[in-house]
Amino acid sequence: MNLTNLPISISDEVQSALKDNLPIVALESTIISHGMSYPFNVRLSEEVEKIIRHHGAVPATIAIINGVIKIGLSEEEVEFIATDRSVKKTSKREIPLLLANKGCGSTTVSATIFCAALIGIKVFVTGGIGGVHKDAQYTFDISSDLTELSNYNIAVICAGAKSILDIGLTLEKLETLSVPVIGYKTDEFPAFYSRESGFGVDINAESVEKVAMIMKYKWDLGINGGIVVGCPIPRQDEIPAEEMAGYIKKAVKEAEKESIKGKYLTPFMLQEIHTHTRGKSIDANISLIKNNALIGSKIAIKYCELTATKCIV
Ligand code: PSU
Ligand code: MN
């Protein structure tokens, strides 16, 4: 695809990584604008980028600013996304609308996958993916994250999916979409704050090499689409599933009472949970994202080594 006439701006750091075939790790920005409050969001974004650089990869945080897709944000741009209330949560379908309006948006998993794939980034680190919401048989609320996971060749490193979702149905949907689900050193798909969900994965990868090999075989074979890599939250920061279940029930009730629907539901639920757990969930959230950044960097480096001369397509 010819990107020259499109409003896309790639930072110098990411551009030179592309030129030199260095491993790049994409990062979403809805976590920053809608997933966590200020100043935790800015601090986390800085720390995650630092972890990625420290392990030898290049971070590429993605957002839309004044109608331009930005790949690789400056500190000022992260601060803007973190604090400005006009920044809209943006999924893939909304990208052209924002560009036409010269608007500002934070990219969800679906939009970040799309933007990262535009320049051939193969690894994307996030906290949790969106999925099939509880009661989706009535609401039809299924995140477009799942659709876009099936559309682009990228590995999404996450701590599973929050149990505000129906995790069983989310995994079924991923199967329908032909997206393989890898557990990183686990047999179970993780449930974000908790290490276990009660649902299995397609394979337990015991090393980053194994994950990189799966990526390479899949795409070399021409089996297009993404891969989910579920990394359990570090044990010391886990919140037990039984404890989370109570908070989630309360948040679901509150959302129903206030008739929160569509794209507003996930941010609302996250805010409710943060309030109810009195910050404990923020510590867990920070811990799991840092852990994903560490593992994601290593996967990006390994994949680059495996594909040797050509790690960016
Ligand atoms: N899940 C989380 N934290 C988040 C999100 C999901 O644990 O911040 C965000 C991500 O950006 C994800 C989006 O792509 O919410 C999904 O929103 P929806 O369910 O409206 O598709
Ligand atoms: Mn939704």
Side-chain angles (χ1 to χ4, degrees):
M1 194 192 298
N2 185 1
L3 304 179
T4 39
N5 291 323
L6 292 167
I8 300 172
S9 160
I10 306 171
S11 71
D12 291 346
E13 188 188 17
V14 174
Q15 269 193 46
S16 78
L18 283 171
K19 194 166 113 278
D20 297 337
N21 267 335
L22 300 178
I24 303 175
V25 174
L27 298 162
E28 64 157 305
S29 48
T30 296
I31 282 184
I32 303 173
S33 63
H34 290 74
M36 209 178 282
S37 52
Y38 187 80
F40 301 103
N41 50 5
V42 172
R43 216 176 295 150
L44 178 63
S45 161
E46 284 169 3
E47 284 179 29
V48 164
E49 292 206 358
K50 205 160 126 197
I51 290 169
I52 293 170
R53 287 195 188 96
H54 179 77
H55 286 89
V58 173
T61 306
I62 295 173
I64 296 165
I65 299 181
N66 300 327
V68 177
I69 297 175
K70 296 262 183 178
I71 305 183
L73 299 187
S74 66
E75 273 177 36
E76 294 72 35
E77 287 167 335
V78 169
E79 185 82 19
F80 171 73
I81 294 289
T83 50
D84 196 287
R85 288 300 99 211
S86 72
V87 172
K88 290 194 172 69
K89 174 183 166 188
T90 306
S91 62
K92 184 182 129 184
R93 71 171 184 166
E94 294 158 319
I95 294 174
L97 318 185
L98 234 65
L99 299 194
N101 270 344
K102 306 230 176 309
C104 297
S106 55
T107 51
T108 65
V109 169
S110 78
T112 309
I113 287 175
F114 169 77
C115 296
L118 272 181
I119 61 164
I121 299 177
K122 292 284 181 259
V123 175
F124 163 25
V125 163
T126 187
I129 54 169
V132 180
H133 281 264
K134 293 177 195 289
D135 292 328
Q137 69 270 39
Y138 306 114
T139 63
F140 275 36
D141 191 352
I142 301 175
S143 176
S144 65
D145 290 358
L146 302 185
T147 320
E148 301 316 329
L149 256 164
S150 73
N151 280 337
Y152 299 97
N153 297 358
I154 196 161
V156 178
I157 321 303
C158 61
K162 277 206 180 78
S163 34
I164 58 171
L165 301 171
D166 188 318
I167 296 183
L169 292 187
T170 299
L171 292 169
E172 288 292 347
K173 184 76 189 165
L174 285 168
E175 185 190 352
T176 305
L177 293 168
S178 283
V179 176
V181 178
I182 301 176
Y184 182 70
K185 297 187 177 168
T186 179
D187 290 319
E188 275 202 31
F189 190 61
F192 202 85
Y193 300 117
S194 323
R195 292 175 62 84
E196 276 143 24
S197 66
F199 295 94
V201 289
D202 299 319
I203 188 173
N204 177 345
E206 73 287 358
S207 64
V208 292
E209 286 83 355
K210 186 59 75 66
V211 178
M213 274 172 66
I214 294 169
M215 292 163 65
K216 183 164 162 41
Y217 277 129
K218 178 170 159 66
W219 297 325
D220 281 358
L221 283 166
I223 305 175
N224 287 326
I227 297 173
V228 172
V229 183
C231 309
I233 180 172
R235 211 172 286 280
Q236 68 275 12
D237 298 308
E238 167 176 44
I239 307 177
E242 315 78 66
E243 188 180 331
M244 279 317 301
Y247 299 129
I248 288 163
K249 231 183 189 157
K250 231 163 132 177
V252 170
K253 261 205 189 128
E254 202 56 35
E256 265 169 24
K257 209 174 89 192
E258 298 198 22
S259 300
I260 310 283
K261 290 191 183 79
K263 67 187 274 187
Y264 304 102
L265 182 63
T266 300
F268 178 86
M269 296 282 285
L270 300 183
Q271 192 49 53
E272 282 292 299
I273 290 169
H274 287 165
T275 309
H276 291 152
T277 60
R278 280 183 243 98
K280 195 167 152 190
S281 66
I282 294 185
D283 294 340
N285 212 332
I286 291 170
S287 161
L288 67 87
I289 294 177
K290 285 189 188 171
N291 184 52
N292 296 345
L294 168 71
I295 298 164
S297 308
K298 290 183 179 170
I299 292 171
I301 291 164
K302 237 336 136 200
Y303 181 75
C304 231
E305 280 171 25
L306 278 187
T307 48
T309 51
K310 206 164 174 255
C311 65
I312 297 289
V313 180

